[in-house]
Each structure stands twice: as structure tokens, then as C-alpha cells.
Amino acid sequence: MKFRIMYLEDKSKGLNGPARIGRVRLSKTGETLYYGGRTFEALRNSGLKANFSDVETGQPFWIAKARKGGDDRLYKGAGDPPVIDDDVAEEYWRDVRGVPNPAAG
């Protein structure tokens, strides 16, 4: 299985839910994702502004590859900035965003 730094936004309470940037493990087909002890399966024709759901809880999520410009939200400019997991922060800023980590000083 491969890993990728991805954007995860919880859509269970509305269109602009809490979001994270973290290391996600992908199944061979990419139809199943694993993050933070949770398993997400791809949604097909759900009609929701979500593309995955938590297998255990059914919560809808928008999960996508993290973008260089940081404009990861489905609805631009809405909601709080995503929380970036500590274990991917340096790699995210360097490899995805192409800039030094602003928290590194």
C-alpha cells in the first residue's frame, strides 16, 4: 500500500466541517483509505458534497490530495484552516507547498 499526504474534511455537520492534513494509506485500488485508525470507503453517486465515508460511523468526508496552493477546501475560503498533523508538517510544507514550514521559525 502507498501513503500520501491528503486533505480530510468532515462533512457530517455541514458543508464546511473541521479539516486536517495528514498521511493517508491507500488501498491498491484507491477505493479504501486508512487514516487515524479509521477506514474510509469511496462513495459513488451519493449526491453529497463528499467522496468518502467512514466505514464504522457512516460519516461523510471530502478527502483529496493536498494541493500546492493550500486551497484544499471544497468551498474556497470557508471554515477554519486545516490542522496539519505534526508527523507530516515538514514534508507537507517542503514537498507539497514548496515553502519552508512557517512554524519552524
Side-chain angles (χ1 to χ4, degrees):
M1 289 194 202
K2 63 181 176 177
F3 291 85
R4 180 177 290 159
I5 294 177
M6 299 189 82
Y7 172 84
L8 302 95
E9 184 178 339
D10 183 348
K11 296 292 191 177
S12 63
K13 292 186 173 65
L15 294 178
N16 299 308
R20 303 193 70 82
I21 300 281
R23 190 176 320 279
V24 175
R25 185 172 53 133
L26 290 76
S27 68
K28 192 173 189 177
T29 64
E31 296 286 315
T32 305
L33 307 178
Y34 307 92
Y35 171 78
R38 299 171 83 172
T39 301
F40 300 92
E41 286 189 345
L43 292 173
R44 297 288 177 240
N45 304 316
S46 69
L48 298 171
K49 297 298 182 182
N51 56 357
F52 284 86
S53 69
D54 182 304
V55 170
E56 189 173 311
T57 66
Q59 286 176 280
F61 277 79
W62 177 260
I63 304 176
K65 183 178 173 185
R67 296 181 183 174
K68 179 177 177 59
D71 54 342
D72 297 296
R73 281 202 179 271
L74 187 58
Y75 294 99
K76 310 298 180 237
D80 294 329
V83 174
I84 301 169
D85 291 349
D86 290 339
D87 67 323
V88 301
E90 287 299 322
E91 185 180 351
Y92 169 72
W93 288 105
R94 181 189 65 234
D95 298 345
V96 176
R97 298 292 298 271
V99 296
N101 182 347

